[in-house]
Amino acid sequence: MADKATASPSEAWKGERSYRELAEKVVELVREGEFPPGTRLPSERALAERFAVSRTAVREAIIALEVQGLVEVRMGSGIYIAAGANDGRPGVGLPNGPGPIEALRARCLIESEIAAQAAREGRDADLDRILDELNRMRDRMDDKAAYDQADRMFHLRIAEATGNNMLVHIVQSMWDSARSDPRWDKIELHFHTPALRAASLDDHHRIFAALLARDPEQARQAMRRHLERVVSQFSQTWR
């Protein structure tokens, strides 16, 4: 097995490749008649076992196919092949790059360490700016777009508190690339709720409390728990 430090680029992109290959395989099976339009697909677990991929890869593949209009997700019922999915279209224009869940997991690793560094390096002025964004999130709970903007700025302010401009750039890139991805819109359509915003606000209060206490380990854990909970929410079964 390749050591993580010497893993090849192809190994590093295994997650992306597996979800794209699975999406393409589903399209192939539709055209071969195994999954005709209107058919409910097997469960995520069954698809993962059949094609020897992770359930995350299955979720990413389904989202990509939904963006293309080839499957229909019915919450509480399952995933269905859309009408017209087998109409002879030349290909599935799958989006490039990692999907939303894969991106969130990367954020979990990176932003947890950024939070720890911010707890060590942040100045009082940095904490004031982070608190301003936290207050904006609280005041805009009923306005999703405004809440999302304050949420983004909260995370950017934490990166700024490290004093490292490259970390700020990384956090901004991760946020902006995800939010411009139509797959993110789809997954939020299914799983983002006012209750999720309320839980996220509580998470952000815990992150800020750890930063205020200048406790790197608590800041790391609070950020990790926050992003892991979002991953868990977005990974709920569709039926």
Side-chain angles (χ1 to χ4, degrees), residues 129-200:
R129 284 190 285 270
I130 295 168
L131 180 59
D132 285 344
E133 300 306 334
L134 183 60
N135 289 334
R136 287 189 184 93
M137 291 172 67
R138 181 199 62 210
D139 294 342
R140 291 161 173 76
M141 285 290 292
D142 296 327
D143 183 338
K144 182 179 179 304
Y147 177 93
D148 286 348
Q149 177 60 18
D151 188 6
R152 173 182 179 275
M153 289 306 302
F154 177 89
H155 287 263
L156 281 174
R157 295 302 188 202
I158 292 174
E160 289 172 357
T162 67
N164 187 315
N165 288 330
M166 179 55 71
L167 294 178
V168 177
H169 175 72
I170 289 170
V171 172
Q172 183 173 6
S173 296
M174 288 191 300
W175 268 81
D176 293 349
S177 63
R179 297 296 170 151
S180 63
D181 188 332
R183 292 170 295 178
W184 183 268
D185 293 337
K186 284 293 184 183
I187 203 167
E188 283 210 322
L189 176 66
H190 296 307
F191 298 110
H192 193 106
T193 64
L196 176 61
R197 285 202 296 281
S200 290

